[in-house]
Amino acid sequence: ARAKSFIVKPGDGSGYRLVVDLQGGVAQAAKTVPATPVKVLPPAQDELVIAIDAGHGGEDPGAIGPRGTYEKDVVLAVAKKLAQLIAKEPGMRPLLIRDRDIYVPLQVRKEKARKERADIFISLHADAVARNTAQGASVYTLSRRGASTEAARLLAERENSADLVGGLSLEDKDDLVASVLLDLSRAATAESSVGLADALLGRLGSVGKLHKSRVEHAGFVVLKSLDVPSVLVELAFISNPAEERRLANDAHQWRLARALLAGIRDYRDQYMPPTPRYAQGGGREYVIKAGDTLSAIAQRYEVSLDTLRAANSLTSDILKVGHTLRIP
């Protein structure tokens, strides 16, 4: 059924009321169910898509080191190395936002990650300040102010855009419902982003100095995605001559790429722990994707919710992307 809702203000001694209008009820839906069994879709591959965004590019060189090293070249080299490592990792697939020296607008970077259903978004940069003694890596997540601004934009444009929050369109939602959905999505994504940032920061500290030992927050445009954990990594200060030399060094670039991969693994193991595979025993299985609900999965495979919960020892209906459900 298609749901719409609105608020009725207090009156006649009653308080506020939430009215939910369901269009196309159970009786109508029952008539449309085909007589023959629905063909079960093959389970999706258990795959974690990592979007790797090498900052700047093309006519935008980014920061330039004292020896003339371009930020755009350094971060692209590290991004390609990270992509090679991820491609060899079971259950992971890399998505390079740019794979050559071209400029990609910030909004397009986010849209490409969303179109390819990325599970994680990592933007790579090299820091620069006037003081050439500044050193160390940093990891940023979106600030509350930046998240609030993006939420307001989505809310204002929902009638004329295809923006999604966790796979759900805001177009047909009223102000109250859309605001609640945005708040929930923003909170969940912020928590996941901090977890990812912590994991990456810890691993980067093993291959070089950290500028700050804590995750930082800023309103970077490229991080303004409410439904994908997103972080921005400053690999080092290209304005520092010593760090510029390391950033341009092929062996050090591999060390950075391996540290980033280890951080991604740490995040996956903590937030997306693997579940047992049942396919070898002849049973069906389904890998949870963004936007899935337990009830929708049960309906797709024509099993009851209670049966699905029991088969997977679930104590709640909360799902995590990347987990595998056994379909009885």
Side-chain angles (χ1 to χ4, degrees):
R2 188 178 180 86
K4 288 192 175 183
S5 64
F6 58 92
I7 294 291
V8 177
K9 293 183 178 181
D12 300 328
S14 63
Y16 280 95
R17 287 185 295 148
L18 171 63
V19 178
V20 181
D21 198 8
L22 301 177
Q23 301 173 354
V26 176
Q28 179 181 346
K31 296 178 183 178
T32 63
V33 176
T36 55
V38 177
K39 182 180 179 181
V40 176
L41 296 176
Q45 292 184 344
D46 188 0
E47 192 174 59
L48 196 65
V49 180
I50 315 297
I52 310 167
D53 172 41
H56 308 284
E59 63 270 24
D60 176 15
I64 303 175
R67 301 174 62 187
T69 305
Y70 285 3
E71 178 185 1
K72 67 173 184 176
D73 296 332
V74 168
V75 295
L76 181 59
V78 175
K80 286 183 174 180
K81 290 175 171 62
L82 177 58
Q84 290 181 44
L85 294 175
I86 290 175
K88 298 176 182 178
E89 192 75 8
M92 290 190 189
R93 175 168 67 86
L95 169 65
L96 280 170
I97 300 300
R98 71 175 180 95
D99 57 3
R100 57 193 186 279
D101 187 20
I102 58 171
Y103 177 74
V104 181
L106 297 179
Q107 190 64 32
V108 174
R109 295 171 192 252
K110 296 190 300 176
E111 291 172 356
K112 182 175 181 179
R114 173 173 283 170
K115 182 179 179 181
E116 296 294 326
R117 300 180 67 85
D119 298 291
I120 289 174
F121 184 93
I122 300 176
S123 188
L124 300 180
H125 291 259
D127 220 337
V129 292
R131 183 169 52 91
N132 63 8
T133 55
Q135 59 183 335
S138 306
V139 183
Y140 290 85
T141 64
L142 183 63
S143 68
R144 289 187 178 183
R145 177 177 297 179
S148 298
T149 301
E150 180 69 359
R153 184 188 70 80
L154 284 173
L155 186 59
E157 296 181 0
R158 72 185 188 281
E159 299 292 343
N160 302 311
S161 72
D163 285 303
L164 303 177
V165 177
L168 188 66
S169 173
L170 298 177
E171 185 178 356
D172 60 340
K173 309 297 184 294
D174 64 26
D175 287 352
L176 180 64
V177 174
S179 296
V180 171
L181 289 172
L182 286 166
D183 284 341
L184 290 171
S185 182
R186 181 177 60 186
T189 304
E191 181 180 355
S192 299
S193 296
V194 171
L196 174 60
D198 272 329
L200 294 174
L201 194 64
R203 291 294 183 167
L204 286 170
S206 66
V207 297
K209 293 185 177 181
L210 297 178
H211 185 57
K212 289 188 178 180
S213 58
R214 295 184 302 176
V215 174
E216 300 182 75
H217 309 280
F220 293 112
V221 173
V222 76
L223 296 183
K224 292 183 179 180
S225 177
L226 296 179
D227 54 351
V228 178
S230 307
V231 299
L232 185 143
V233 178
E234 298 280 9
L235 296 169
F237 279 84
I238 201 170
S239 54
N240 180 312
E243 293 203 334
E244 179 191 13
R245 284 193 295 272
R246 284 195 291 272
L247 285 171
N249 180 270
D250 186 74
H252 186 68
Q253 290 173 359
W254 278 111
R255 286 192 288 270
L256 289 170
R258 285 191 288 269
L260 291 170
L261 174 62
I264 293 171
R265 283 201 202 107
D266 292 342
Y267 170 80
R268 177 200 60 191
D269 294 344
Q270 181 177 355
Y271 287 86
M272 303 174 179
T275 54
R277 306 291 294 188
Y278 298 94
Q280 294 178 354
R284 296 175 295 175
E285 59 184 15
Y286 178 78
V287 180
I288 297 166
K289 301 296 182 183
D292 279 338
T293 64
L294 198 64
S295 59
I297 295 170
Q299 184 177 7
R300 176 184 298 181
Y301 288 97
E302 297 183 303
V303 298
S304 70
L305 270 174
D306 290 339
T307 303
L308 192 56
R309 291 190 192 104
N312 294 276
S313 301
L314 297 177
T315 57
S316 75
D317 291 353
I318 298 175
L319 302 177
K320 288 189 176 182
V321 174
H323 279 202
T324 303
L325 286 180
R326 180 181 182 180
I327 309 297

